Amino acid sequence: MDLHLPGPSRSIVRSVHTTGVTSVGGEPLVVVSAGETLFALDAAMGRKVWSVAGRGFSAGRAACGGQRVYTAAADGYARAHDAATGKEVWSYQMASGDEFSLALHSGWGDVVALGDDVAIVAIVSRSYALDAATGALRWTFSGSAMYAPTVVLRDATALFTTEYGVVSLVDLATGNTIWQTSLDVRVFNAGAIVHENTAWIQSVDGKLIGLRITDGTRRGWPQHTLAFTFSSPAVVNNTLVVGDQDGVVHGIALP
């Protein structure tokens, strides 16, 4: 059965966000939220494999790891689903209240991160590290780090970036902060990308800020555009590529 997303509603269109990709039985599977429904699609043909409705609105990106898919939504819950069937494995309540409070404060825009057997999910005021297998709470991290994706590093640490430009390197096992620095800029969807030993953070106002991973020391601060910038950067060889709201794509040579 081919997937047909429901209706022409603008809210439905806006809610379709970057997909998660996993594999079930050796076959690639694409996972994406649309409105209040989570869809899993066969990557080769785009056919619907399963769907889960009634989860609450989500504009965030699912994370896929092993046999589970992890999401957060505007009903206040983070969830894990079986990647093969969509069956809920566990849920964790991150926010509560009436529908208006949930719409403002839940994890509707969260991009889920995975690392060191934890799933990292967030609401507007706090991030949660949940046991990936059970959903049990491991630790929490204060700050509005829901919008810019958390970046998990190979040494069992993670970079958290708040919407107000506070960047923290956090130990995944304990939740302890290794270092923290304030960039005094706004950061939303773009977030950070790591290249070699530097994290490059893209600000809303067109700045590209480099931070040394080991201690948070700044390595550069070019203003590459005056347009608002929300797109996630990518690195090809030593060139960082990012697009801005004026429709211009910039290629920036990294040191």
Side-chain angles (χ1 to χ4, degrees), residues 18-22 29-33 38-41 50 62 64 69 71:
T18 308
T19 57
V21 180
T22 188
L29 197 69
V30 175
V31 182
V32 63
S33 291
L38 181 68
F39 292 94
L41 311 177
W50 51 259
C64 303
V69 172
T71 65

Side-chain angles (χ1 to χ4, degrees), residues 9 183 198 238:
S9 165
L183 305 179
T198 303
N238 286 321

Side-chain angles (χ1 to χ4, degrees), residues 110-157:
D110 183 42
V111 176
V112 184
L114 292 176
D116 199 30
D117 298 322
V118 298
I120 300 171
V121 293
I123 57 177
V124 293
S125 60
R126 185 174 300 273
S127 296
Y128 301 83
L130 307 177
D131 185 280
T134 68
L137 178 65
R138 295 272 193 92
W139 46 265
T140 64
F141 178 80
S142 296
S144 55
M146 180 178 83
Y147 303 106
T150 298
V151 178
V152 174
L153 305 178
R154 294 180 180 178
D155 61 352
T157 61

Side-chain angles (χ1 to χ4, degrees), residues 166-200:
V166 177
V167 182
S168 306
L169 184 69
V170 175
D171 184 285
L172 278 179
T174 64
N176 293 334
T177 300
I178 299 168
W179 57 255
Q180 185 175 85
T181 186
S182 179
L183 305 179
D184 296 319
V185 294
R186 299 298 296 276
V187 182
F188 282 104
N189 306 71
I193 189 169
V194 174
H195 178 63
E196 296 181 349
N197 193 39
T198 303
W200 296 95

